[in-house]
Amino acid sequence: MSRSGSWHRLGLAELHRRGTELELMHRAMGFATLSLVTLAPLLILVAAADPLGHGGFALWLVDGMALTGRSADALAHVFGPTRAVISTTSALSVALLALFGMSFASSVQNGYERIWKTAAAPWHRIWRHALWLIMLMGYLYAQVQTRNVLEGPPRILLSVGVGVLFFWWGPHFLLNHQVPWRYLLPGALATMAGLVGLRGFSYLVFTPLLVTNAISYGPVGTVLVVESWLVGVGFVVYGGALVGRLVCEWLGHLDEPPDETAPEPTDRGQGPSAMRS
């Protein structure tokens, strides 16, 4: 493919076509729904048991959405943890959280598989979903805790650096090492750039909207704003990985993806056929 042809395929029209094939918005909405029923209870539970402080999901949302003042108070009122969470959590609740957590990790893995055209992981590697979810919880918890240690440019650099490492490691791990590290770095960088942009958008749009909805609709309005923001996060996570693949194609590391109408290869144990060694 010529360089001019590469630029043409890496244009907005090509990105839109790939996003449509991936059902990007549909996946982002699924990401938001599973995040709300999985990450919110898990982080609230962790925060309730944390002897260092009580922020959890609420504090992570406040930080991620760049909320301040009344908007932060409205969100903390809905998602803030209490000590009663520990005593009222049953074994059935923990089992349901684990089930939703595995579904969430599996959904993210499936999105990466569609983007990179890799073979589906066998069912007995579900342990990867559990480990990825634990690492995600650790990443979010660490992001919250740095508020008490660093501020300003040092914290921004640390948060961005750790985020790039997580979104670089995550696809490589969930895809069972089928995609080389060097191919995944552009996607990790694009994902973090998108999350930084989403944070700025949240500060301008969601901060006043959260206060208005909290006054007009109560807790339901707050949850709707949070769900909308999580849709944006899912869009960035999958969209960043998709941009990373397109960058690899432009650099000549990957061939164009195979025709979706062509028969699939029978050997599902191999990595993506489009990747060059």
Side-chain angles (χ1 to χ4, degrees):
M1 180 187 297
S2 65
R3 179 57 57 89
S4 61
S6 297
W7 276 110
H8 175 71
R9 289 191 60 79
L10 289 177
L12 293 178
E14 176 62 13
L15 184 61
H16 178 268
R17 186 184 71 81
R18 298 279 187 92
T20 302
E21 291 179 355
L22 183 64
E23 296 180 310
L24 186 55
M25 182 55 69
H26 176 77
R27 288 184 179 275
M29 295 179 68
F31 180 96
T33 301
L34 289 173
S35 294
L36 198 61
V37 300
T38 301
L39 296 183
L42 281 175
L43 283 171
I44 290 174
L45 186 63
V46 169
D50 178 21
L52 300 178
H54 310 294
F57 188 68
L59 190 55
W60 175 65
L61 285 175
V62 168
D63 186 59
M65 299 177 70
L67 303 178
T68 56
R70 295 175 61 189
S71 59
D73 294 339
L75 192 145
H77 176 71
V78 177
F79 293 101
T82 64
R83 282 293 181 183
V85 170
I86 300 297
S87 60
T88 57
T89 300
S90 64
L92 177 60
S93 299
V94 174
L96 288 175
L97 281 178
L99 177 62
F100 285 128
M102 294 301 99
S103 299
F104 177 56
S106 177
S107 176
V108 174
Q109 178 186 19
N110 180 259
Y112 286 143
E113 288 172 349
R114 288 284 303 276
I115 291 170
W116 289 98
K117 310 296 182 181
T118 61
W123 69 268
H124 59 79
R125 288 179 178 165
I126 194 174
W127 65 270
R128 290 183 176 273
H129 299 161
L131 183 55
W132 178 85
L133 188 62
I134 292 173
M135 293 297 291
L136 175 62
M137 296 290 296
Y139 163 65
L140 297 178
Y141 180 79
Q143 291 287 80
V144 169
Q145 293 302 318
T146 57
R147 291 169 59 97
N148 303 321
V149 181
L150 298 172
E151 60 181 13
R155 181 171 185 260
I156 294 174
L157 292 175
L158 178 62
S159 298
V160 171
V162 173
V164 168
L165 289 177
F166 177 79
F167 289 108
W168 192 13
W169 166 83
H172 188 262
F173 182 76
L174 288 176
L175 295 177
N176 194 27
H177 315 299
Q178 296 182 78
V179 183
W181 285 104
R182 64 185 182 277
Y183 296 169
L184 295 170
L185 181 57
L189 294 172
T191 299
M192 280 310 300
L195 290 177
V196 171
L198 180 62
R199 192 174 190 272
F201 178 83
S202 299
Y203 178 77
L204 297 174
V205 177
F206 288 133
T207 297
L209 186 61
L210 195 59
V211 176
T212 302
N213 277 23
I215 294 175
S216 301
Y217 306 106
V220 174
T222 301
V223 172
L224 288 176
V225 174
V226 171
E227 181 76 359
S228 300
W229 180 77
L230 288 172
V231 170
V233 174
F235 195 91
V236 168
V237 168
Y238 294 125
L242 184 58
V243 169
R245 177 180 174 108
L246 291 174
V247 169
C248 287
E249 291 180 16
W250 175 73
L251 293 175
H253 298 320
L254 300 174
D255 295 325
E256 296 179 24
D259 187 355
E260 294 292 333
T261 60
E264 294 185 359
T266 56
D267 185 1
R268 293 180 59 82
Q270 301 296 323
S273 59
M275 295 182 184
R276 299 175 178 174
S277 59

